[in-house]
Amino acid sequence: MKNTNEKEILDVALMTPLGKFNYRVGAIIIDDGKILMVKTDKTSYHYSVGGRVHFGETANDAVLREVYEETGIRLEIERPVFIHENFFTLQGTSTRYHELSIFFLMKKSSEIKNIRSGSTTDRGDKEQLVWLPIDSLSDYEVYPDFFAKELSSLPDSVKFMLTKN
């Protein structure tokens, strides 16, 4: 994994006087009625496997890279499922974010049993991988929050989602 400073230079992220813009990707990894999510000890919420796209990198390549970095396995993309435009303030900060994310459904694989935790956030917090049951996602604090409703019946075509907090 690249050091934080080098990685931040590569990320498609822009700090403005009003806040930060991010371009990111997320992986929807489903197995046995559960979705793989990420959590740190410093946060109360779970979030999708994924991260920022690097400058000059395709969204497809970015999600494959992020899945490998965070899980240690190489999965294939089945298809894009959601485009999410998200406006929020990061928990514990006053920084406003405008984020554009593409979420990809990953193909089922026997490699799922080899998943390992070990990645870190941009701030150096250790991440843990957690399998959450899709039918009770609303019992958890999950981001993006539309996962709780949408993952039980995935749309047939790409669906645009908008969140303004």
Side-chain angles (χ1 to χ4, degrees):
M1 180 177 246
K2 296 174 174 39
N3 69 44
T4 302
N5 292 336
E6 185 179 340
K7 186 177 181 325
E8 286 177 357
I9 290 170
L10 297 174
D11 290 342
V12 179
L14 173 66
M15 185 55 89
T16 76
L18 299 177
K20 189 170 189 174
F21 173 81
N22 281 328
Y23 173 35
R24 42 180 336 275
V25 291
I28 300 171
I29 303 170
I30 296 174
D31 186 50
D32 196 28
K34 296 178 182 174
I35 183 166
L36 186 64
M37 300 294 283
V38 185
K39 185 170 181 340
T40 72
D41 290 337
K42 295 185 178 181
T43 59
S44 61
Y45 55 89
H46 298 79
Y47 49 94
S48 66
V49 171
R52 292 188 191 101
V53 176
H54 291 173
F55 186 83
E57 181 179 45
T58 67
N60 285 16
D61 288 343
V63 76
L64 294 172
R65 174 183 51 78
E66 286 289 346
V67 166
Y68 181 72
E69 286 177 1
E70 293 184 23
T71 69
I73 62 172
R74 297 196 188 278
L75 294 177
E76 294 179 25
I77 296 168
E78 184 167 323
R79 64 186 175 92
V81 181
F82 301 109
I83 296 174
H84 183 212
E85 188 170 17
N86 190 11
F87 298 86
F88 66 97
T89 301
L90 187 64
Q91 211 175 48
T93 75
S94 61
T95 305
R96 294 281 308 147
Y97 281 80
H98 180 171
E99 193 166 79
L100 188 62
S101 301
I102 303 173
F103 290 92
F104 294 87
L105 177 63
M106 307 307 287
K107 288 183 179 178
K108 294 185 185 296
S109 169
S110 61
E111 290 296 305
I112 292 292
K113 65 183 179 304
N114 298 323
I115 285 179
R116 60 161 173 78
S117 290
S119 59
T120 58
T121 66
D122 291 343
R123 294 176 297 220
D125 301 332
K126 189 174 181 327
E127 295 177 313
Q128 298 94 39
L129 299 171
V130 181
W131 288 100
L132 297 178
I134 291 172
D135 62 358
S136 60
L137 270 183
S138 58
D139 295 340
Y140 299 89
E141 187 177 5
V142 172
Y143 293 105
D145 57 6
F146 64 81
F147 272 14
K149 179 181 176 195
E150 297 289 332
L151 291 185
S152 60
S153 179
L154 292 174
D156 293 329
S157 59
V158 176
K159 186 172 183 178
F160 178 79
M161 306 299 290
L162 175 64
T163 304
K164 283 187 165 186
N165 291 337

